Amino acid sequence: EFEQSLKNGDSYVTQGSFELALICYLRCKTLNPQSPEAKVGIARCYAAQKKDEPAQIEIIEALQHAPGFVPARFLWGEILM
């Protein structure tokens, strides 16, 4: 179920449907609270909605659990620019 929700979230992001993607990623986070993929997905949705502070919180949490997770570092750089 986690993998399917993650895949659905990614699909919605590519379509620009960030609200639907957020629902999928939040489900992922419920299923696996430590998942950096879920946290980065959530952050990506928040960033697209110009909600930079909650996006930063999710990225920080992702990096605490997976310091070398490249998608988190990349999105962090995008948000700070």
Side-chain angles (χ1 to χ4, degrees), residues 2 6 21-22 24-45 58 62 69:
F2 173 85
L6 189 63
L22 182 59
C24 294
Y25 293 131
L26 289 171
R27 177 76 178 136
C28 288
K29 189 175 175 180
T30 299
L31 295 168
N32 183 355
Q34 307 303 323
S35 167
E37 293 90 354
K39 293 174 189 296
V40 168
I42 293 166
R44 187 177 298 124
C45 292
E58 292 293 335
F69 191 59

Side-chain angles (χ1 to χ4, degrees), residues 58-75:
E58 292 293 335
I59 294 170
I60 289 168
E61 288 180 9
L63 290 172
Q64 287 173 340
H65 296 289
F69 191 59
V70 174
R73 293 190 171 278
F74 183 77
L75 186 57

Side-chain angles (χ1 to χ4, degrees), residues 8 10-18 20:
N8 289 344
D10 292 345
S11 178
Y12 284 129
V13 165
T14 60
Q15 297 171 23
S17 300
F18 296 103
L20 294 173

